[in-house]
Amino acid sequence: MADSSVSFLLEKLNALLQEEVNLQRGVREDVQYIKYELERHKAILRVADAMEDRDPELKAWVKGVRDVAHDMEDAIDEFNLRLVDQHGQGNGSSLHRFIFGLKTMRARRRIALDMQSIKSKVNVISQGRPELPGIGSRSSQRLSSRLDSQGDALLLEEADLVGIDKPKRQLCDLLFNEEPGRAVIPIYGMGGLGKTTLAKQVYDDPKVKKRFRIHAWINVSQSFKLQELLKDLVQQLHNVIGKPAPEAVGQMKSEELKELIKNLLQSSRYLIVLDDVWHVKVWDSVKLALPSSNRGSRVMITTRKKDIALYSCAELGKDFVHEFLPEEEAWYLFCKKTFQGNSCPPHLEEVCRKILKMCGGLPLAIVAIGGALATRERANIEEWQMVCRSFGSEIEGNDKLEDMKKVLSLSFNELPYYLKSCLLYLTIFPEFHAIEHMRLIRLWIAEGFVNGEDGRTREEVADSYLKELLDRSLLQVVSKTSDGRMKTCRMHDLLREIVNLKAKDQNFATIAKDQDIIWPDKVRRLSIINTLDNVRQNRASFQLRSLLMFDLSDPLEHFSIRGLCFTGYKLIRVLDLQDAPLEVFPAEIVNLYLLKYLSLKNTKVKSIPGTIKKLQQLETLDLKQSLVTVLPVEIVELQQLRHLLVYRYEIESYAYFHSRHGFKVAAPIGLMRSLQKLCFIEADQALMVELGKLTQLRRLGIRKMRQQDGAALSLSIEKMINLRSLSITAIEKHEIIDIHNIFRPPPYLHQLYLSGRLDIFPRWISSMKNLVRVFLKWSRLTEDPLVHLQDLPNLRHLEFLQVYVGETLNFKAKGFPSLKVLGLDDLNELKSMTVEEGAMPGLKRLIIQRCGSLKQLPFGIEHLTKLKSIEFFDMPEELITRLHPKGGQEDYLRAKNVPAVYSSYWRDGGWDVYSLETLEERETDFSRSTAMRSLENCPLWKA
C-alpha cells in the first residue's frame, strides 16, 4: 500500500513544481531529487504488499518509504495552508504581489528546511533499498504461484456437498443444453466461494465425462505463462485420447501449439476448464485454439472478475454467478466443521451464530474458522465470545486461518494502487454499515484518490473505480435504485476484517470505537464511532486529513475539533458530521482552509455563516435533511464548489407523504461555474437566467416554480448540455410548469421529475432516448401521456400521480420495451387498463394505488410474463375482496402466472393489509408497519 502513498505524493509534487510559486533557491532541485528517488522505488513497492508479511526487513523499509511520503505531504500541505492564510482578498496588483511575497517568505523558508530534512531521509532509504531480483517478473510470479487460489478447493473438500447440489444441477443444465456451438460458461464470484470446488464436482461427474469424452482441466492463476499453459493442454488431450504427445511439443512456439490443439479438437465435442482466470488476455490467447465447430463443445471458466466472465461468454454462452451459502446450509456446514457433525451446544449457539454471521455465507471462511474453533474448550463460553469480539486479531494470529487469509488477500494484493486506497477507505465506516454510493464517490475525490481524465469528470472516474471493485467481487451491492443503479454497498464482513488489518498496519486510518484502542504514532484519518470520550482522553499526535463521525450518542452542544485534537487539525480535507447530534454550525470550520468536503447532513443545524466564503477549496457542501433553508450571499464566492445539496423531506400526511423543502439564496448563482449538482433551489425570475451560466450541471432541482418562470428556465436548460437529472416542482399543485419550448434539450438526460400542471405534454420529452426514469405529479393531462412515452428505448421506471384525467389507459404492443417498474397513483377517473401483447415485455413490478374507479385487474395482464408482483394500496373494497383468497380471483391470477399480489387500504386511520401468494395458495399476515414501509419505499413519493 506504500505505492499508493507514493503515487499520490508524486502527483502533488508535480503540482508543486508546476505552480508559479517563488520557492527559495535549491528547493526545486530538492523536490526534483526526492521525486526521482521515489519513482525509482515504485517497482519494489508494487509487489511489497504480498511479500512484506514474510520479510521483516522489507516491511521496515516499506514503512520508511510511507513515512517519508507522509512527511512530504505534510510539508506541501502546510506550505499551501500558509499561502492561503496570507493571500487574503487582494486585487492582483503589483503592490499586492510584493506584499504577498514578503508575508510568505517565512513559509518558503520553512518548506526549504523541510525539503532538506526529507531529502536526507530519502538518501537513507535509497541506500537501504532491498535488492529483489526480477521485480515485476519471475519473483512476483513465484510469489503469486505460492498463493494460488486453487488452495480454496482443497480447504473445501470436506464441505463440497454442502449447498452444492442446486448450483451443480444448474451448471450441468448449461453444459447439456442443445446449443450446437462452442459455448462459454464462466463461474464468477468472490474468492473463497468454492468456484473451483463446484467446477471440479461438475467436471468429475460421470454424466459429464460421458458426454464430453475429450476434456481437460487447466490451472491458470495470476502467474500464467501462455506457452506452458498450452503445453499442459496438449499433454492432457493426448492422455485422454490415449496417444503420446509429439516429442517436438517441448520446442513448439505458442502459435504452433494452438494449431496442434485446434486440430486435435476439430472433430470432437470437448469440455475445457480454465480455473482461476485473472486476466482477459488469457481467454483472448486460448480461444483461438478452441474450434467453434457445431458439436456442442463447452468451456468453463472460474474467475473473481465480472468483466472476464461477461467478456468470455459475449459471443456465445451464459455467465453463472456463484452465490453465498444460505443461512440454513451455512449453519449446517459450521456445525459439521466445528462440532464434528454434532449439534451446537445450546449455551454456545448465540455466540456461534454471531461468528457465522461474520463469515457471510462464504464456504472457505466457514470451513477455516470452524476448524480453528473445533479445538476450543466448549465449556468456556468467554473464550468463544473473545473470538467474536476480536475477529480481526483471531485471523491475524491463528495459523489455522493463514491459508484462508492468503486466498482472500490475493484480490487485494493484485489491485492497482488507486483501487487499494479506495478499498481501504471503506474500513472507516462501521461494520454492517450500508455505504451510500454518491457519498463514497465524493469522499474518495476529496481525499485525492481520484483524478480527472480526458473526457471524464472525477465523479465519472470514481464511479468507474467503484464498478471495478464490484466487478472484482470486493464489494457487494446492498440496495439498488428502481432503475437498476447501485444505491448502497458494503464489503463482505470477513474481507473487511482482512482489509482492516492492512489498514491498521499501514496506519491508513484510526477507528476510535473501543475504550482500549491502541493509538498510532500519528493519526491522519480518524473515524469516531459511538462516543467522543475515547478520543478526548488520548495523547496521540494528530496530523488529521479526515474526520468522520458515526452513531454518536453524545450531544454536541459545544463541539470543537480543537477540543478533540489540540493541534494538527488545520490540514483537514474531509469533515463528515452526517447524523451527528449537532444544532449549531461549528465556527472553527471556516478556518479549515484546505477543506474539500463538508457534510452536516441530517443534523439540526439551521444556518450557515457568511464566513464560509473562506473555504475556497470546498467542493462538496451536503446539508440534506438539515434545517437550513437560506444560504448566505457569500456562498457564490466558493468557486470550486461542485456539489451543493440543500433540501429535506418531511412526512406530513398520507396524501402528501413526502414534502420537499429547498433553499433560497439572494445572490448571482451563475458565478459558481464549477457546480455539478444543485438541489433544491427555490425559483425566482433572476435565478432562471443565472442557471444558464452553469453549463457543468449534471443534476438540477428547482422548487416553487411559477408559470412565468418557464420561458427563462427553458432557455437556460438548453445550455446545460451535461445535464443528467432534472427535477422541477411548481409552487403549488395547480400551478402550470411551462417548459414546452425547449428546442435543444440536454442530450444525456437520464431522469426527469415534473411536479405541477402541464396544459399539454412537452413534446421534446419524446425525443429523449437516454431517459431512464420519468416521474410526473399533478399534471392533470386530458391527453393520454403514454403516447409520448411508449417509444423511449431505455425507460425503466415510470410513475404517475394525478397525471391523467381520462378513463382508460392503453399500453400498445411493442411499447415501453425496457420498462421494469410502473406506478399509477390517484388516477381517480381511470376505469380500465389494457395491456396489449408485446407491451412492457420486461415489466417486473406494477403498483396501483388510490385509483378509486378501477375495480378490475388490467385486461391482458397475462401478457406481462416477467411480472413478479402487483401491489395495490388504498383501492376499492370490491377489488380488494376479489383479490382476497376467499374472493374467487386466485384461480384467475394463478392462470395468468402472477406470482404475488399485495393489497391494502386505509380505513379508520389504519391499514388493512392482505397478501395473496397465489402459486403457494397460502395467506400471509402483514403488519401495518409492513404496509407503511412499502409506501415509504415507493419511489413515487421521492420524485
Side-chain angles (χ1 to χ4, degrees):
M1 239 300 292
D3 62 319
S4 302
S5 303
V6 169
S7 296
F8 292 131
L9 174 60
L10 290 173
E11 291 166 6
K12 280 198 166 191
L13 292 177
N14 285 331
L16 179 66
L17 292 171
Q18 291 169 11
E19 287 176 0
E20 295 182 7
V21 179
N22 186 18
L23 297 172
Q24 289 191 349
R25 183 180 299 175
V27 174
R28 284 187 182 276
E29 289 76 9
D30 287 345
V31 173
Q32 289 278 19
Y33 172 79
I34 294 168
K35 179 173 176 285
Y36 170 75
E37 288 296 307
L38 291 177
E39 282 178 335
R40 272 202 326 126
H41 299 327
K42 281 182 69 174
I44 192 170
L45 293 173
R46 289 258 156 86
V47 298
D49 273 321
M51 300 177 68
E52 57 181 302
D53 288 342
R54 295 166 181 77
D55 190 335
E57 183 181 346
L58 175 62
K59 188 171 185 177
W61 182 84
V62 169
K63 181 180 183 301
V65 175
R66 187 167 53 247
D67 290 344
V68 164
H70 288 163
D71 290 346
M72 188 77 177
E73 184 185 23
D74 292 344
I76 294 172
D77 284 350
E78 286 172 1
F79 176 67
N80 289 331
L81 179 63
R82 291 189 179 95
L83 293 186
V84 172
D85 202 15
Q86 296 295 335
H87 204 284
Q89 302 296 320
N91 55 18
S93 65
S94 298
L95 177 61
H96 172 75
R97 288 196 296 271
F98 175 73
I99 294 172
F100 174 70
L102 291 176
K103 286 183 176 180
T104 58
M105 187 177 294
R106 182 179 178 186
R108 287 181 279 122
R109 212 177 270 139
R110 173 64 182 271
I111 197 170
L113 293 173
D114 287 341
M115 291 303 105
Q116 290 176 7
S117 173
I118 292 169
K119 183 180 178 182
S120 300
K121 293 178 182 177
V122 168
N123 284 332
V124 173
I125 287 171
S126 296
Q127 291 169 9
R129 183 177 188 267
E131 292 298 328
L132 295 179
I135 286 294
S137 55
R138 292 186 179 180
S139 66
S140 60
Q141 288 169 0
R142 286 196 300 268
L143 172 68
S144 295
S145 180
R146 289 198 303 270
L147 298 179
D148 273 345
S149 62
Q150 283 92 342
D152 62 358
L154 299 176
L155 282 169
L156 291 172
E157 63 179 344
E158 291 185 41
D160 56 8
L161 298 180
V162 176
I164 209 168
D165 292 340
K166 181 180 177 181
K168 179 182 176 182
R169 186 169 60 251
Q170 292 170 332
L171 273 176
C172 286
D173 289 344
L174 292 173
L175 290 177
F176 294 161
N177 68 23
E178 298 303 316
E179 174 57 54
R182 181 203 64 198
V184 181
I185 305 166
I187 306 172
Y188 151 71
M190 179 181 171
L193 270 176
K195 300 180 294 296
T196 297
T197 301
L198 173 60
K200 197 74 168 67
Q201 287 286 312
V202 172
Y203 180 79
D204 289 337
D205 189 280
K207 293 179 182 178
V208 173
K209 289 286 177 69
K210 182 178 179 181
R211 182 175 177 85
F212 301 97
R213 298 193 180 280
I214 306 299
H215 49 263
W217 179 287
I218 304 297
N219 295 323
V220 183
S221 83
Q222 289 173 297
S223 56
F224 91 101
K225 291 182 179 179
L226 179 60
Q227 211 162 338
E228 298 301 320
L229 185 153
L230 295 173
K231 288 178 184 178
D232 185 12
L233 181 52
V234 168
Q235 188 63 56
Q236 288 194 47
L237 292 175
H238 277 90
N239 290 343
V240 171
I241 295 169
K243 295 180 180 180
E247 293 183 5
V249 166
Q251 285 73 46
M252 284 184 179
K253 295 182 179 179
S254 295
E255 296 307 316
E256 295 172 302
L257 290 167
K258 289 179 187 178
E259 193 62 33
L260 176 59
I261 294 168
K262 194 169 186 177
N263 292 334
L264 285 170
L265 299 176
Q266 193 69 53
S267 59
S268 305
R269 178 195 292 146
Y270 59 84
L271 171 64
I272 306 296
V273 179
L274 301 175
D275 184 35
D276 198 27
V277 177
W278 287 79
H279 306 286
V280 167
K281 62 184 179 183
V282 174
W283 175 240
D284 276 339
S285 301
V286 174
K287 69 179 180 181
L288 298 176
L290 306 178
S292 301
S293 53
N294 292 328
R295 296 182 177 274
S297 296
R298 299 290 181 261
V299 179
M300 277 201 302
I301 291 175
T302 69
T303 182
R304 302 184 185 196
K305 296 184 177 182
K306 185 178 181 180
D307 62 330
I308 293 174
L310 297 180
Y311 179 78
S312 62
C313 66
E315 295 177 15
L316 184 63
K318 180 175 174 55
D319 64 305
F320 183 88
V321 181
H322 196 15
E323 304 288 350
F324 295 96
L325 280 180
E327 184 176 354
E328 186 176 335
E329 291 175 352
W331 179 247
Y332 173 78
L333 174 58
F334 181 84
C335 292
K336 177 181 178 181
K337 191 67 179 173
T338 307
F339 306 110
Q340 292 76 49
N342 298 316
S343 60
C344 175
H347 69 286
L348 291 178
E349 182 165 349
E350 183 180 355
V351 67
C352 284
R353 293 273 186 188
K354 289 180 180 178
I355 294 172
L356 181 63
K357 183 180 179 182
M358 294 179 184
C359 296
L362 194 68
L364 170 68
I366 297 170
V367 169
I369 289 167
L373 291 173
T375 58
R376 303 273 172 162
E377 175 56 52
R378 297 180 192 178
N380 187 358
I381 190 172
E382 178 60 31
E383 188 175 347
W384 294 68
Q385 290 172 338
M386 182 72 73
V387 172
C388 188
R389 287 195 302 267
S390 54
F391 207 58
S393 301
E394 186 71 21
I395 294 171
E396 188 175 30
N398 194 322
D399 292 340
K400 294 179 180 177
L401 302 179
E402 186 61 29
D403 286 333
M404 178 198 71
K405 183 181 174 185
K406 289 177 186 177
V407 169
L408 294 179
S409 295
L410 265 179
S411 293
F412 179 86
N413 294 338
E414 189 252 354
L415 287 174
Y417 80 90
Y418 55 87
L419 289 182
K420 284 180 180 176
S421 294
C422 291
L423 188 64
L424 285 171
Y425 200 76
L426 273 74
T427 61
I428 283 179
F429 294 88
E431 57 186 338
F432 311 123
H433 188 87
I435 304 167
E436 300 165 57
H437 169 213
M438 285 309 303
R439 181 187 190 184
L440 185 59
I441 280 178
R442 292 175 195 136
L443 285 167
W444 281 350
I445 292 171
E447 292 283 358
F449 300 158
V450 183
N451 289 311
E453 298 176 357
D454 290 341
R456 294 203 298 174
T457 65
R458 284 183 287 165
E459 287 78 7
E460 289 167 336
V461 174
D463 199 52
S464 72
Y465 289 178
L466 190 55
K467 184 178 184 301
E468 191 171 350
L469 289 173
L470 284 165
D471 289 349
R472 289 171 177 263
S473 307
L474 291 168
L475 291 183
Q476 299 170 333
V477 175
V478 176
S479 62
K480 291 183 177 182
T481 62
S482 58
D483 54 1
R485 293 175 297 117
M486 187 185 71
K487 191 174 181 181
T488 57
C489 66
R490 63 190 294 265
M491 258 195 291
H492 185 279
D493 296 330
L494 195 61
L495 180 62
R496 185 183 186 279
E497 292 293 342
I498 289 171
V499 175
N500 196 38
L501 289 173
K502 292 183 177 293
K504 286 180 181 178
D505 197 45
Q506 311 286 346
N507 191 21
F508 182 84
T510 302
I511 314 299
K513 180 180 178 181
D514 304 315
Q515 292 292 341
D516 54 351
I517 177 176
I518 300 175
W519 290 87
D521 295 337
K522 190 175 287 187
V523 179
R524 303 184 69 79
R525 295 184 184 91
L526 178 60
S527 174
I528 301 173
I529 302 174
N530 298 333
T531 179
L532 298 175
D533 291 342
N534 47 8
V535 182
R536 290 176 175 137
Q537 297 167 8
N538 85 88
R539 292 293 181 268
S541 171
F542 287 90
Q543 198 64 284
L544 274 188
R545 291 303 188 283
S546 311
L547 176 60
L548 300 90
M549 299 185 183
F550 301 94
D551 305 325
L552 290 187
S553 54
D554 312 321
L556 299 182
E557 295 176 3
H558 306 289
F559 172 70
S560 168
I561 302 172
R562 186 175 182 179
L564 291 176
C565 42
F566 186 72
T567 60
Y569 64 90
K570 289 193 174 182
L571 301 181
I572 286 181
R573 292 188 293 249
V574 169
L575 181 58
D576 193 332
L577 302 179
Q578 178 172 329
D579 301 318
L582 190 67
E583 296 187 2
V584 179
F585 184 91
E588 63 189 337
I589 288 178
V590 300
N591 295 318
L592 303 176
Y593 298 129
L594 302 184
L595 196 66
K596 290 179 177 291
Y597 179 101
L598 174 60
S599 176
L600 299 172
K601 180 180 178 180
N602 204 28
T603 65
K604 295 183 179 179
V605 171
K606 300 180 182 66
S607 62
I608 303 296
T611 48
I612 197 170
K613 68 181 181 180
K614 295 162 72 174
L615 302 180
Q616 287 295 305
Q617 304 295 317
L618 195 64
E619 295 179 348
T620 294
L621 178 58
D622 190 347
L623 300 173
K624 288 181 289 187
Q625 291 301 107
S626 72
L627 302 181
V628 175
T629 57
V630 178
L631 289 181
V633 295
E634 292 86 353
I635 196 76
V636 299
E637 296 185 35
L638 299 180
Q639 300 294 300
Q640 303 298 318
L641 198 63
R642 299 163 73 88
H643 306 280
L644 180 55
L645 308 169
V646 192
Y647 59 90
R648 74 179 188 276
Y649 294 106
E650 287 183 1
I651 299 176
E652 295 180 347
S653 68
Y654 171 67
Y656 296 94
F657 203 77
H658 279 96
S659 178
R660 176 180 284 149
H661 300 267
F663 72 96
K664 301 176 184 177
V665 59
I669 200 82
L671 295 174
M672 305 177 75
R673 302 294 174 89
S674 298
L675 275 181
Q676 293 191 14
K677 292 195 177 181
L678 177 61
C679 300
F680 279 81
I681 191 164
E682 295 187 4
D684 62 49
Q685 194 72 36
L687 173 69
M688 299 299 101
V689 176
E690 286 288 313
L691 289 175
K693 301 174 184 178
L694 305 180
T695 58
Q696 297 302 311
L697 275 181
R698 261 64 177 173
R699 182 182 174 195
L700 173 62
I702 298 174
R703 295 278 303 164
K704 297 187 178 181
M705 183 173 161
R706 301 174 185 273
Q707 183 175 358
Q708 60 265 33
D709 300 328
L713 178 59
S714 296
L715 289 173
S716 291
I717 288 174
E718 289 186 351
K719 300 173 184 177
M720 299 176 188
I721 59 174
N722 295 301
L723 199 64
R724 267 53 171 189
S725 176
L726 174 63
S727 176
I728 302 173
T729 302
I731 192 167
E732 51 96 18
K733 64 189 296 185
H734 300 296
E735 186 79 12
I736 290 176
I737 297 177
D738 184 9
I739 54 168
H740 309 298
N741 296 321
I742 298 178
F743 301 107
R744 295 183 302 277
Y748 306 110
L749 194 67
H750 291 168
Q751 301 170 36
L752 179 64
Y753 310 93
L754 299 178
S755 301
R757 282 287 301 278
L758 296 173
D759 51 356
I760 61 171
F761 192 91
R763 298 298 190 260
W764 59 268
I765 295 176
S766 304
S767 67
M768 305 304 294
K769 303 304 181 185
N770 290 309
L771 273 176
V772 175
R773 304 175 86 180
V774 174
F775 290 6
L776 302 179
K777 284 185 184 180
W778 311 325
S779 308
R780 304 292 295 172
L781 290 162
T782 56
E783 58 178 322
D784 186 352
L786 300 181
V787 174
H788 306 288
L789 296 169
Q790 62 185 358
D791 294 327
L792 294 176
N794 294 301
L795 187 62
R796 294 170 61 93
H797 190 161
L798 177 63
E799 295 271 5
F800 286 168
L801 188 154
Q802 294 182 18
V803 167
Y804 180 48
V805 295
E807 295 184 354
T808 63
L809 282 177
N810 189 6
F811 293 85
K812 301 279 189 181
K814 298 184 180 179
F816 300 100
S818 300
L819 198 66
K820 305 294 183 187
V821 181
L822 173 63
L824 304 173
D825 183 12
D826 207 1
L827 307 182
N828 281 327
E829 290 80 6
L830 184 66
K831 293 182 178 179
S832 67
M833 289 175 56
T834 301
V835 181
E836 295 183 5
E837 187 172 1
M840 302 184 287
L843 192 71
K844 293 184 177 180
R845 185 179 176 202
L846 175 60
I847 310 154
I848 304 176
Q849 53 194 27
R850 296 190 294 170
C851 296
S853 301
L854 185 66
K855 299 178 182 179
Q856 54 192 344
L857 285 171
F859 296 109
I861 193 173
E862 65 271 18
H863 299 142
L864 303 177
T865 57
K866 299 292 181 66
L867 195 64
K868 299 295 184 185
S869 70
I870 309 176
E871 301 168 31
F872 293 99
F873 298 105
D874 200 21
M875 294 292 288
E877 278 197 60
E878 299 98 305
L879 182 59
I880 298 297
T881 303
R882 290 179 194 166
L883 291 172
H884 197 265
K886 299 179 178 61
Q889 284 206 10
E890 66 270 24
D891 292 330
Y892 171 79
L893 288 169
R894 188 186 303 109
K896 304 306 182 188
N897 289 318
V898 179
V901 177
Y902 303 101
S903 312
S904 69
Y905 58 95
W906 185 265
R907 172 193 283 171
D908 300 327
W911 286 98
D912 282 348
V913 185
Y914 301 102
S915 172
L916 169 63
E917 296 188 25
T918 58
L919 294 185
E920 298 182 16
E921 294 189 84
R922 66 183 178 85
E923 185 178 353
T924 304
D925 292 327
F926 275 69
S927 67
R928 293 177 177 178
S929 62
T930 303
M932 185 60 74
R933 281 198 302 273
S934 297
L935 274 176
E936 287 175 354
N937 292 328
C938 179
L940 178 66
W941 299 107
K942 300 177 182 177

